[in-house]
Amino acid sequence: MNLYPQKAFRWTATISFFALVAGCSSSGLIPGTSQKQEASPTANKEQTTQKTSASSLPKDMRNIGEVISIKDKNLNITFSVNGTRKHSGKRVLKTNKGNKWILVDTTIINQGQKPIILPVVAFKVIDNANKEYEVALLAEALDDVRSPTGEIKPGGEKRGEVAFEVPEKAKGLKLVFNPNINECQALDAAKSKQSSALSCTPVFVSLN
């Protein structure tokens, strides 16, 4: 009986096995297992956090109570922050554990000749670590919270509170207000030069 074919087959199988192991080791996998993507533990949290560059912060920080004028081809408004308060929530409307709701009381007056619409995304908050927090829409549903967003008629005034969910230990909070944010983002997406007649520089107000 000729054993040569059997030996050759065994050597080929052995070499193939070691090649398979080496390939799996280089990819960090063990034979017979599959790689799974872990879900982010913060995937279900309402607020979105990002990082703002410290160089993008303005040198002239505004303060609570200061009346700020914004005038360009789209807008002729005054904007002010009247104060802040903490909200603990009601019944099922609660923050995530370790967080709090901060409500920013604002007043916007439309001094122009046409109606304006302020979107929710015109507001955000950053902390002393330059982390950004978007408007907490869940808190906006509270029956004692009235939003300043939406349409403001010519000569009209709208006062309301914008809610943000931030960590309990968050410090150095600043409100960022950019009423032209949708138009400015459209210009960026189109890689178009921003018109000098359109204000794309946000207003920063210290909430301390």
Side-chain angles (χ1 to χ4, degrees), residues 38-178:
E38 296 293 334
S40 170
T42 59
N44 295 325
K45 289 189 176 182
E46 181 188 27
Q47 79 277 14
T48 301
T49 60
Q50 298 176 343
K51 194 80 171 181
T52 297
S53 171
S55 61
S56 65
L57 297 178
K59 295 180 180 180
D60 54 338
M61 186 73 62
R62 305 303 184 98
N63 299 307
I64 292 176
E66 185 177 351
V67 178
I68 304 160
S69 178
I70 302 174
K71 189 174 182 180
D72 59 26
K73 70 173 186 178
N74 287 346
L75 301 170
N76 183 5
I77 66 173
T78 60
F79 169 75
S80 58
V81 174
N82 308 305
T84 65
R85 68 181 174 114
K86 181 179 176 181
H87 203 299
S88 57
K90 292 183 179 179
R91 295 183 290 277
V92 297
L93 298 179
K94 299 285 185 179
T95 65
N96 292 293
K97 186 177 181 180
N99 291 347
K100 61 182 177 181
W101 275 329
I102 291 293
L103 274 59
V104 183
D105 183 359
T106 65
T107 298
I108 301 105
I109 301 175
N110 182 7
Q111 298 180 330
Q113 301 300 315
K114 59 181 180 179
I116 62 171
I117 297 179
L118 287 179
V120 173
V121 293
F123 300 89
K124 65 183 176 182
V125 154
I126 61 174
D127 60 18
N128 61 352
N130 295 331
K131 290 184 179 179
E132 299 180 1
Y133 303 90
E134 297 176 352
V135 173
L137 298 179
L138 185 62
E140 295 282 311
L142 292 164
D143 54 12
D144 61 338
V145 177
R146 184 177 63 179
S147 174
T149 60
E151 183 180 81
I152 307 177
K153 295 180 180 180
E157 175 180 332
K158 204 165 190 180
R159 180 170 180 173
E161 293 177 309
V162 190
F164 301 92
E165 183 174 345
V166 300
E168 282 281 359
K169 297 181 180 180
K171 296 181 179 180
L173 295 177
K174 305 170 222 19
L175 179 71
V176 184
F177 178 58
N178 186 357

